Amino acid sequence: MPVGARSVLLTVAFVMCSSGAEAQRGELREAFELERRGRHEAAARLYLAALTEQPTHLSALLGLERVLQQLDRLDSIVPYVASAIALQPSNRSIRALELRVWAMVGEPESLTVAAGRWIERAPDSPEPYREWAMALVQSGDTVSGQQVLADGAKRLGNATLAQDMAELSVDAGDWYEAVRQWGSAVQWNPSLLSAAAGSLSRAPSELRQRIVGILVAEYDVAIGGRLAAELLVGWDRPLEGWTVLDRSLPGDRQVAVSVLRRFADRARSARPPDGARAQAYALERVGELAAGPASERAYIDAARAFAEAGDRRAAERMLQRVSGRSQTGERAATDAMAALIGVMAKSGKVEEAEGQFHQWKDRLTADDVAMLREAIARAWITDDNLDRAEAMLADDSTVSTFATRGWIALFRGDLTSAGESFRRAGPRAGSVEDATERVTVLALLQRIEPESAPELGRALHLLAQGDSAEAVSRLQKAANGLPRQGGRPDVLAFAGRVAVERGDARRAETILVDALEVDSAGVAAPVAKFELARAYIQLGRHEAARDRLEDLILSHSESAIVPRARRLLDQVRGDVPRS
C-alpha cells in the first residue's frame, strides 16, 4: 500500500476509534499506538479482541488489514471479513475490503465470486465495479481493472463509470481512450469539466493537438469545445483556446457569461501578452451578453486587459462603449475615463494621460484622482522624466504619495530625502510587494554614508526601468565610489543579488566575492554569502554552495537570513525536494 494511502487510513482509523464504548475506545487507541510503533503482532491481538466484541467494527477491520499485511498474513483476515458481511451485507466499506483482500492475496477466482455477490445484491450500483477495478489495479492488474469497468459501463450505461474509466486510462497512459471517456463523463455531468481538464492537462505535448481534435470533432460543441478551450489555456495556448471557446458558447446567456468569466480568470494567468488578450476577448463578449452595470464593468475590465496586452486602440474602443451609452449615467462615464487615463499612462502615452487627467479630475472620485496621479507620476519616472513626475505630485500631500516621492528622490541620488519619504510612507502605502521593496531599499540606504550618491540613484532607476544588465554594471561602479565602511559591501551584495535574479551567475560570483573581500563579517556579509551560494547552485557547484551556507549559519547565527539559508542548505544536501 502506498505510504500516503496508508497514512490516510491510519488517520481515519484513529478518528473512528473515538466512537463506541470507552473501554473499546481505549483498546483501539492502544492498538493504533502499537501499530504506529511497528509492534504489529501486539496490535493485531487488540484489533482481534475488538472484533470479537463487535465483528462489524470498521476501524478494527481496517487496522487488522494493515497489520496483517505488514506481517504477510493478510489471508487470515478472511473469516473476520466474512462474518462482518454476514451481519452487514450492504456495508460498502466492508464489501470493498473483501475485494481488496482477495486481490492482495492473489485469489482472482475468489475476487470474482465476491464481486459477483455484491453486484447481485446491488445490481444498479456502480460501486461494486468501481471497487473491483480498484482492487485489481492496486494488485497490479490494470488491464483486468479496465475490463471490469467496461463491463460495468455496458450493463449500467456508458456514462455511469466514464470518470473511473477515464482516470484509469490516464494512469495507464492511454490518452486517446482517456479523452473519449472524459468527454462522455463531462457530457453526462458538465460539473466534471474541471476534473477532466485537470486530468487531461498532463497529456504529452505531442498528443495535445490530437486530443483537442477529438474533443471538437466527436462531442457536442458546448461540451467538447469548452473542455478543449479549458485545456488549451492550461497549456499556455490561450488565444487558440479563445478561438475554440468562441465557437462553442452555450445558447443560454447566463451560462455563457459564467463560462466566459471562468475562461477570463484562467487566461489571466497565461503568459503575456496572449493571456491578457484572450482575457480581454472573453470579457468583451461578457460585455455584449450582460446588461446594465455588469456589462459596463466587463467592458472596463476588458479595456484594462487589452491595455496589458499592449492594444491601446482596443482598450479605447471598450471604454468608448461605456462612455457612449446615454443610459449609463455620469458615474459610468467617469469610471470609463478613469480606466482610459490609466490605460494611456500604462501604455506610454503619458502626455495624453496627464492632459485627460487635468480635464476630468474635478469629476473623478477622490480615490480615482489619487490612483491616477500616482500612475501618471510613475509613468513619467519610467519615461525618465523625474521633473514631470515630481510636478504631478506637487499639490498632493497624502501619505500614499510619499512612496513615489521617495523613489524620485532616490533616483536623483538624494539618499537623505529618499529615506525620509520612505519612512513617512510607512508599510501601508501601495501593495505588499511595494512595501517590501521600500523596506529593503531603506535598510540599504541606512548603511550608506554619503547623503548624495547620483551614480547609485541612476543605477536603481535603470533597475526600475527593467534594464537589469546595465543596472548591475552601474551598481558595481556606484559601490566602488563608496567608503569601505560606508556602504560599499552593501551595494555590492545588492548588485550580486540582482545578478543572481537575472541568472548571470558568473558575474554575480565576481561581485559577491568582492563584497566579502571588502567586509566578511559586517551586516552585508550574510546576504553576500547567501546570494553567492545561490550563484554556485546556478553554476552546478553544489559543494561550494553547501560550504558557503554552512559558514553563513555558523558565523552569522543571529542574522535574519539564517532560516532561508537552512532551507536552501537542506535542498543542496538533498534532504528536501527542490521547488
Side-chain angles (χ1 to χ4, degrees), residues 296 300 319 322-338 359-365 368:
E296 295 162 7
I300 291 172
L319 294 170
V322 179
S323 59
R325 295 180 181 182
S326 58
Q327 71 270 29
T328 59
E330 179 68 14
R331 180 56 190 270
T334 55
D335 281 351
M337 184 51 66
Q359 288 183 35
W360 280 79
K361 68 178 181 181
D362 291 339
R363 285 173 282 177
L364 299 174
T365 66
D368 281 341

Side-chain angles (χ1 to χ4, degrees), residues 142 182 486:
T142 301
W182 270 124

